[in-house]
Amino acid sequence: DTGVSQDPRHKITKRGQNVTFRCDPISEHNRLYWYRQTLGQGPEFLTYFQNEAQLEKSRLLSDRFSAERPKGSFSTLEIQRTEQGDSAMYLCASSRGTNTDTQYFGPGTRLTVL
Amino acid sequence: AQSVTQPDIHITVSEGASLELRCNYSYGATPYLFWYVQSPGQGLQLLLKYFSGDTLVQGIKGFEAEFKRSQSSFNLRKPSVHWSDAAEYFCAVATDSNYQLIWGAGTKLIIKP
């Protein structure tokens, strides 16, 4: 069990630029989740995948946000035309895939939009 | 809609003293309940979880939590805190399908030497 990894750990970008974050889940995990965490708040659910299928995306914050998991392994979260309000920690988690399985979290990617 | 309230933003406890962190939830059915800990630079780590059965749940690092349906609470306790327990603690509730964790705003635990 090597844990959930995220890359990069930190990203600084200028307003209007596009950014992409990567998440590598624990290898045998079927479910992969994306959350956003702003300062002083708990994580906020964005989307999740069961293998390569994105089963919930209505909580993505706007149409500037999109996520993929093309082969059911790693996932990417892209934010287009970034805004200062997008500055936050973006967390990825994975689980085995049944309803009672624990979600294991990565260390997060901290995004700063200037 | 489901929600989680952690009434205390910060709690300061002396090392060696007991600890109780409060969590109240709003959910119509029997919830799945979780406590996670987040240390600076670290990912969220699960301390314990409740799905069903015994309402007193034991977790890692000497933590326990008690589910009280009548009070809609799931408070976290530890009999004696250590300086290494200083961190932020989050309570979360899951929906029926457990794909979406709903989180409280967190309680920051400060340990006095």
Side-chain angles (χ1 to χ4, degrees), chain A residues 1-9 21-27 29 32-34 73-76 90-94 104-109, chain B residues 43:
Chain A
D1 180 350
T2 58
V4 178
S5 61
Q6 294 187 244
D7 184 70
R9 295 289 304 273
F21 310 140
R22 177 180 170 123
C23 172
D24 287 89
I26 294 170
S27 59
H29 284 185
L32 187 148
Y33 309 78
W34 284 100
S73 56
F74 73 91
S75 175
T76 57
Y90 290 85
L91 300 170
C92 175
S94 70
Y104 294 87
F105 283 80
T109 295

Side-chain angles (χ1 to χ4, degrees), chain B residues 91-104:
Chain B
C91 181
V93 63
T95 63
D96 289 342
S97 62
N98 197 31
Y99 70 79
Q100 180 179 341
L101 290 175
I102 309 297
W103 299 78

